[in-house]
Amino acid sequence: MSRSIPKPFLIAKDDAGAFRLTLRQVRYNSQHYPIVTSALQPESFESAHAARAFAKQHHGAVPGDFAAK
């Protein structure tokens, strides 16, 4: 497992062609190893731009906080 820190927001396209937003939180164990918790949001979006706008409005995301898959 890598020690690199993932971006807090992941935008991925699902099998149906809709875009989904995943929120990721990082915490560290006693050896300072990052542990990532992911939560797929129930909303689906027509475009990656719509998913970014939702994250900015509801979760306070800023440019540079996004990863795409």
Side-chain angles (χ1 to χ4, degrees):
M1 183 168 248
S2 173
R3 287 186 182 240
S4 65
I5 307 300
K7 303 284 184 175
F9 299 97
L10 173 66
I11 299 173
K13 196 172 192 178
D14 65 9
D15 294 336
F19 290 87
R20 303 293 304 267
L21 180 67
T22 302
L23 301 179
R24 300 188 283 194
Q25 295 179 341
V26 178
R27 60 186 175 88
Y28 296 91
N29 66 8
S30 60
Q31 288 81 29
H32 301 287
Y33 192 83
I35 298 175
V36 180
T37 305
S38 298
L40 182 65
Q41 298 300 293
E43 297 87 358
S44 61
F45 304 95
E46 293 182 11
S47 68
H49 180 73
R52 285 177 186 261
F54 179 84
K56 287 178 183 178
Q57 182 179 16
H58 291 92
H59 300 289
V62 296
D65 280 352
F66 298 96
K69 182 175 178 185

